[in-house]
Amino acid sequence: MYVSNFQELTTITSFPKSEFTRSTVVRTGNYRTVADSIRISQTAWLYDGPGIVEKTTHRVGLLTGLATKSSPTFSNTEAYQIVNYGIGGMYHPHHDAFEKPLWGPPNKNDPLELIGTGDRIATWMFYLNDVKVGGATVFPNINARVSVKKGSAAFWYNLLPSGENDHRVLHAGCPVVIGSKWIGNKWIREGGQMLQRPCELSP
Ligand SMILES: O=C(O)CCC(=O)C(=O)O
Ligand SMILES: [Fe+2]
């Protein structure tokens, strides 16, 4: 799904520089997050709170039909991950889902706080600015490409209805050639979607 005219969050490219740190990736196996040359960018987190951010998340819920509400004890989505790529910044082909079973044994030290919230069932990705050259998002397994356009968004499911990883949505952020690129990722978790998108035995 491609959505345009979604300007609300585009103002947040003025986020304080001090909040950004080098982006990390999640290591399958121990689920620790580490810096890696497959992802060159800076990251900051924007938490849902009253006002524009919460309204935007509500709208994401209306458009996707998925539960996006957060409460102090349970969250259907992660905070917005604001990502900034400079020239040459990119993200190699990867999956957003962790491939971690939803109903695994409890682990209070789980660094990804997956217990109760599940895997990343879907990705909502805002394009917060225009990039002069480069920076498209590509899906090599399905020959799809989404070009960057300020105020637009891309949405896709990472998991099949069975809960398994959907390998069709392998994707990458192409290198920025001229300019810089700002995106806002909203990862929607699997746990609260049992009525919105019930799981099925077959994919
Ligand atoms: O920058 C992009 O176009 C893709 C970003 C992405 O896939 C991610 O942050 O997980
Ligand atoms: Fe991704």
Side-chain angles (χ1 to χ4, degrees):
M1 177 160 82
Y2 176 79
V3 179
S4 61
N5 268 331
F6 215 129
Q7 301 289 342
E8 287 98 325
L9 283 191
T10 57
T11 48
I12 58 180
T13 51
S14 55
F15 231 54
K17 264 202 182 113
S18 55
E19 304 227 359
F20 284 85
T21 53
R22 172 140 185 215
S23 303
T24 55
V25 297
V26 177
R27 278 262 169 283
T28 320
N30 63 11
Y31 302 100
R32 297 275 158 213
T33 63
V34 292
D36 192 296
S37 57
I38 69 160
R39 189 184 194 195
I40 306 295
S41 57
Q42 299 277 317
T43 301
W45 295 92
L46 176 67
Y47 291 89
D48 278 39
I52 202 169
V53 181
E54 212 168 71
K55 276 196 193 133
T56 301
T57 303
H58 180 64
R59 222 175 135 198
V60 169
L62 293 176
L63 280 162
T64 58
L66 294 174
T68 55
K69 260 203 156 60
S70 293
S71 79
T73 51
F74 185 87
S75 204
N76 287 311
T77 67
E78 295 177 43
Y80 286 92
Q81 187 187 57
I82 309 299
V83 184
N84 177 224
Y85 302 88
I87 291 172
M90 49 77 206
Y91 196 168
H92 282 200
H94 66 278
H95 287 287
D96 289 350
F98 307 115
E99 289 197 87
K100 191 168 182 174
L102 174 57
W103 310 115
N107 171 10
K108 65 178 173 17
N109 298 320
D110 189 330
L112 297 170
E113 299 164 50
L114 283 174
I115 299 308
T117 61
D119 208 336
R120 289 172 170 169
I121 191 171
T123 300
W124 180 280
M125 203 178 89
F126 279 115
Y127 296 97
L128 303 178
N129 76 333
D130 289 311
V131 179
K132 277 204 172 119
V133 181
T137 308
V138 291
F139 297 77
N141 289 349
I142 51 171
N143 283 332
R145 172 184 184 277
V146 182
S147 51
V148 179
K149 188 168 185 303
K150 181 176 177 175
S152 65
F155 170 81
W156 65 87
Y157 279 103
N158 296 305
L159 303 179
L160 296 163
S162 62
E164 284 166 85
N165 218 340
D166 187 343
H167 294 286
R168 291 172 297 184
V169 293
L170 182 82
H171 59 280
C174 292
V176 171
V177 180
I178 304 177
S180 87
K181 174 180 171 191
W182 291 85
I183 58 166
N185 285 316
K186 188 70 169 167
W187 283 299
I188 301 168
R189 294 297 189 98
E190 189 182 16
Q193 316 298 341
M194 63 273 267
L195 299 177
Q196 279 73 15
R197 197 187 192 233
C199 45
E200 295 166 16
L201 286 179
S202 58

